[in-house]
Amino acid sequence: MLDRKGGWNVSFAGCGFLGVYHIGAASCLQERAPHLIRDAHQIYGASAGALTGAVLLGGGSLAEACADVLRLAKEARKRNLGPLHPSFNVMKIIKDGLCKNLPENTHQLMSGKLCISLTQVSDGKNVLVSNFNSKEEVVQALLCSSFVPIYCGLIPPSFRGVRYVDGGISDNLPHHDSKNTITISPFSGECDICPKGNSANFHEMNLTNTSIQFTSGNMYRLTQALFPPAPQVLGEICEQGYSDALRFLKENGILHDSISVILPLKRGDHAQIPGYTNKKTVAENQGKENLLKEEILIDQLKLASWPLDKAIFDNLPPRLRKALQEACKEKHGLYAQLSKFLPMRLMSYMMLPYTLPVESAYFVALRLVDWFPDILTDVQWMQGQLRQFVGAVYSKARKRLLSFPSNESHILIRKCQTAPLNMGLSSPCRHSKMPHSSAYLKEWFFDLPYCDASAMKEAEADANESFLSIPPFFMNSEESGLELDFDSSSEQSFQTASED
């Protein structure tokens, strides 16, 4: 049960193209329980969840946002390589949609309330951004939170001079562990608003704070997040988000608190309304006009053909229904009909090795033109990253090359050497099982616990005697009057008498 007295938060999980699920859930909350959004302390989001939160708080239209997602999916699906085709620039499409859908004062509406999850490129830590000074900063933060490396490009965008990537990499569901946070996710798991899995499998994984059950449905949804399905399937996902949010409101007893949403009037609208007397009359007239428009829209939708299930048409709000209907319409041109046949599709795939290089060169040139204003800062950033990489590799290589072996490793190496010849050195305190290695000479004379002082003196005397018994061949040649001559060619040594 949600504790409404202590306040609450709302958190949207990152999910790529499955963001239509968030749009359906947000439409239900906005229509059936608007106070959940209006009175929430914070609204968190990562990637597609942040986009939905921005539209919800920034005064944008959820229906237009849903239509933009479906158009983006259709744009990705019409290419042979899907979203991996070089002509598909997902970041540019998202940026154009945000600039069109969000009002100019959106930063004032969402500052302090919308928290966008970002991942720093330098250290991979998560950052929550909630204060914005302009609409451009809001758009740039949302682009950073939606940037999937390699999938969206190679150079990550920046926000206030710092490079960020998709917030779902570090925290896909911010503040998920708070008891008063309403979590929303299109993957069946432990979230408050999510699809209810029919499988009896209780195993789940935690993907950056997002609970995902090991079911075939979730595995399929993970692929749909980056490679969009047909618009009809996305429409069903949007309806499922609406239905799951409605079930959550009923289970927590919040549905009866809902009120009708009355859109605020713009300045100067009261002068255009006939019979204007006061604010109450304006609100009543505006409410009547909205109801009349809704009824006309519903009648138009009933007459039009609906490609999805009839239940979707009955549950969704009229504006969202119209957006889905327009996005799901199929083209009826000759080329569109011919492209559906299997021979035409096979021919397009066979021509791909010849057409792809030309298309890649053309669209790379277009991206270079768009990249020209930011080329200086991006090149400087790439140089800095290259210097850091080379410095890290050099430091590790230098540490390995200049590292000296420890004493233990040195002793182990000496133990592996061949034992020296027996030179007659004997010690009464030497153990019989002691190995004859030069590494143990110190232990023979000093370190053994059973060697007393007398034994040490006897050992020194024996060593001196053995040294005196060494033949004069090994003595100093200057004192003995002998000269040692070594023939390097024959590698034999011999003695010669001095001429003195």
Side-chain angles (χ1 to χ4, degrees), residues 317-379:
R319 294 181 181 178
L320 191 58
R321 285 181 249 168
K322 183 178 180 180
L324 286 173
Q325 187 181 39
E326 293 294 331
C328 292
K329 284 183 178 180
E330 297 182 357
K331 296 182 179 180
H332 300 286
L334 180 61
Y335 177 77
Q337 297 297 327
L338 291 177
S339 61
K340 295 180 181 179
F341 292 104
L342 183 60
M344 295 295 295
R345 295 170 61 184
L346 290 177
M347 186 179 298
S348 63
Y349 281 108
M350 292 175 63
M351 293 294 294
L352 189 62
Y354 305 98
T355 59
L356 185 60
V358 178
E359 292 179 352
S360 300
Y362 174 72
F363 288 105
V364 165
L366 291 181
R367 292 198 181 192
L368 286 176
V369 173
D370 295 336
W371 183 43
F372 186 77
D374 302 327
I375 190 171
L376 182 60
T377 57
D378 291 343
V379 168

Side-chain angles (χ1 to χ4, degrees), residues 13-22 46-49 172 186-187 221 224-226:
C15 52
F17 284 99
L18 299 184
V20 291
Y21 182 92
H22 292 326
S47 187
N172 196 49
F187 306 102
R221 293 187 188 101
Q224 290 176 335
L226 297 178

Side-chain angles (χ1 to χ4, degrees), residues 113-129:
K113 194 167 185 179
L114 177 66
C115 294
I116 302 175
S117 176
L118 305 175
T119 302
Q120 286 186 356
V121 176
S122 58
D123 53 6
K125 292 183 179 180
N126 183 260
V127 177
L128 291 177
V129 180

Side-chain angles (χ1 to χ4, degrees), residues 230-288:
Q232 290 79 6
V233 179
L234 291 176
E236 295 175 359
I237 294 173
C238 181
E239 190 273 338
Q240 188 176 14
Y242 189 95
S243 301
D244 293 338
L246 187 61
R247 183 183 63 250
F248 170 78
L249 296 178
K250 292 179 179 179
E251 291 176 353
N252 289 271
I254 309 176
L255 192 60
H256 65 276
D257 296 336
S258 63
I259 57 176
S260 60
V261 181
I262 299 177
L263 298 177
L265 292 174
K266 299 179 182 180
R267 293 182 179 179
D269 287 350
H270 59 275
Q272 301 176 4
I273 300 177
Y276 169 76
T277 55
N278 52 27
K279 294 182 178 180
K280 185 176 180 180
T281 306
V282 172
E284 291 178 355
N285 293 336
Q286 186 69 21
K288 292 179 180 179

Side-chain angles (χ1 to χ4, degrees), residues 181-212:
T181 299
I182 303 174
T183 55
I184 305 174
S185 173
F187 306 102
S188 59
E190 298 298 329
C191 294
D192 296 319
I193 300 177
C194 66
K196 299 301 180 183
N198 298 325
S199 174
N201 187 1
F202 295 100
H203 299 284
E204 65 177 18
M205 64 177 177
N206 190 287
L207 187 63
T208 60
N209 299 330
T210 304
S211 173
I212 300 178

Side-chain angles (χ1 to χ4, degrees), residues 287-324:
K288 292 179 180 179
E289 290 183 3
N290 291 333
L291 291 176
L292 182 61
K293 291 180 180 179
E294 294 289 339
E295 292 177 357
I296 296 174
L297 183 60
I298 291 174
D299 294 337
Q300 292 177 354
L301 292 174
K302 288 181 179 180
L303 296 176
S305 60
W306 183 246
L308 302 180
D309 190 3
K310 190 66 176 177
I312 302 177
F313 180 82
D314 295 334
N315 291 334
L316 293 179
R319 294 181 181 178
L320 191 58
R321 285 181 249 168
K322 183 178 180 180
L324 286 173

